Amino acid sequence: MKNASLEYIKNLSSVYDLSSIEVVDTLKDTLKRVYSCGEIESETINGNLVFYRVYYNRYNELKKEVIKINSKDNNKIKEIFNAGLFRKSLKKTLQKIKSKQKYKKGIISGEIMGRTRNGYSVLTEFGNAFLPFSNALISEKRKKLFRPKRSLYFHIHKVYIERGNIKIILDRTSNLIIKQEVRDILSIPKESLIGVSRKEGIEIVLHTKEKISKEEIKEISRRYKEKVKVEIRQW
């Protein structure tokens, strides 16, 4: 870790899904900890970052001193730095998931990767997630909806951190899912779909403000293999 090149920072930014500023700030925090510094500044010279310890001398004059990383401190710095990046990346991902739950009502798309002992492994924008058998609709399991490589909408049932890893538990039972899937099929404005009610395996009722084409009704019926009814509300 003798030199922190801009390319090195850029690569770490990609690996940990952090901005270059976040990576550099984490490195500064690491150097503060290792060398017991107060404020640290940095600048780029010939494509490499140079760090300075900023301090006031006994005459109250502001001074800057280049931080020279000793080879004996190299491994310690790398260990603390990588751990800091991991924690920051974990926290940022958790914040993104919480934001999805708040502003998108927890609906995300994912790809079925395979079946496990207790459910299905799903690849999402936040990494691997898990859909327990108990959180999947029986009718959809019977229809073999959860085949590998199939993309579906899911609802974030809960999320937590366990042993330094984010655990995402999904479900397919939320009524918000079918509303999103139906909305993708319909050509009417988003606000014209008031709601969707469903009797699993029997009937789907679309509550709308305007008419829906026969072709779209048939497409929804084919997708779920259920009867589709439309109720138009003029309010």
Side-chain angles (χ1 to χ4, degrees):
M1 180 113 206
K2 292 183 178 179
N3 292 313
S5 68
L6 294 181
E7 189 64 30
Y8 176 65
I9 297 297
K10 184 179 178 181
N11 288 338
L12 288 176
S13 176
S14 177
V15 169
Y16 289 96
D17 191 24
L18 297 170
S19 68
S20 295
I21 293 175
E22 289 172 316
V23 173
V24 173
D25 283 345
T26 305
L27 182 50
K28 286 182 179 179
D29 289 340
T30 300
L31 295 175
K32 286 179 184 179
R33 180 176 170 182
V34 173
Y35 293 112
S36 301
C37 299
E39 184 181 350
I40 289 181
E41 293 182 357
S42 64
E43 68 173 331
T44 304
I45 299 177
N46 297 326
N48 291 317
L49 282 171
V50 177
F51 295 92
Y52 300 91
R53 180 170 69 91
V54 181
Y55 65 98
Y56 287 92
N57 64 13
R58 62 178 178 172
Y59 302 109
N60 205 32
E61 298 172 328
L62 184 64
K63 296 291 184 180
K64 291 201 307 184
E65 182 180 74
V66 174
I67 296 176
K68 297 179 181 179
I69 299 175
N70 300 321
S71 56
K72 64 182 180 65
D73 297 325
N74 215 29
N75 290 336
K76 183 179 180 180
I77 290 173
K78 280 186 177 180
E79 183 180 342
I80 297 173
F81 181 40
N82 289 333
L85 290 174
F86 181 78
R87 285 194 302 272
K88 191 168 285 189
S89 177
L90 201 69
K91 184 178 179 180
K92 190 173 183 179
T93 300
L94 193 60
Q95 288 174 338
K96 287 181 179 179
I97 297 173
K98 296 290 186 182
S99 178
K100 180 77 75 170
Q101 288 179 299
K102 182 177 181 180
Y103 298 107
K104 297 293 183 180
K105 298 182 180 179
I107 301 299
I108 59 172
S109 60
E111 182 180 322
I112 301 291
M113 301 306 293
R115 179 170 174 155
T116 67
R117 187 166 59 92
N118 299 314
Y120 303 94
S121 175
V122 181
L123 182 62
T124 74
E125 62 187 279
F126 303 116
N128 291 323
F130 179 63
L131 173 68
F133 290 138
S134 58
N135 287 2
L137 295 173
I138 295 174
S139 61
E140 292 185 337
K141 287 189 283 187
R142 287 173 178 168
K143 295 170 188 174
K144 298 181 180 179
L145 190 70
F146 305 111
R147 295 190 298 271
K149 302 300 179 182
R150 181 159 191 175
S151 296
L152 298 166
Y153 282 113
F154 299 89
H155 175 255
I156 300 174
H157 187 70
K158 65 178 177 179
V159 58
Y160 58 94
I161 295 178
E162 181 180 85
R163 296 177 183 176
N165 293 304
I166 292 178
K167 299 292 183 180
I168 307 171
I169 308 300
L170 306 173
D171 71 64
R172 278 281 302 178
T173 57
S174 172
N175 196 52
L176 295 169
I177 295 172
I178 189 170
K179 187 174 182 180
Q180 181 64 55
E181 291 174 337
V182 167
R183 186 178 285 139
D184 285 352
I185 294 172
L186 300 181
S187 57
I188 62 174
K190 179 180 177 181
E191 59 273 11
S192 292
L193 180 64
I194 300 170
V196 180
S197 55
R198 182 186 189 190
K199 293 180 181 178
E200 185 190 342
I202 301 173
E203 181 183 65
I204 295 172
V205 181
L206 308 179
H207 306 282
T208 71
K209 294 181 181 179
E210 55 186 275
K211 291 182 179 180
I212 297 173
S213 70
K214 291 182 179 179
E215 290 75 18
E216 290 173 342
I217 292 173
K218 288 179 181 178
E219 185 177 348
I220 295 170
S221 182
R222 282 194 300 268
R223 181 167 187 164
Y224 295 98
K225 297 180 182 178
E226 296 172 11
K227 181 181 177 181
V228 177
K229 181 180 177 182
V230 179
E231 290 186 356
I232 300 176
R233 299 180 183 179
Q234 300 298 334
W235 49 267

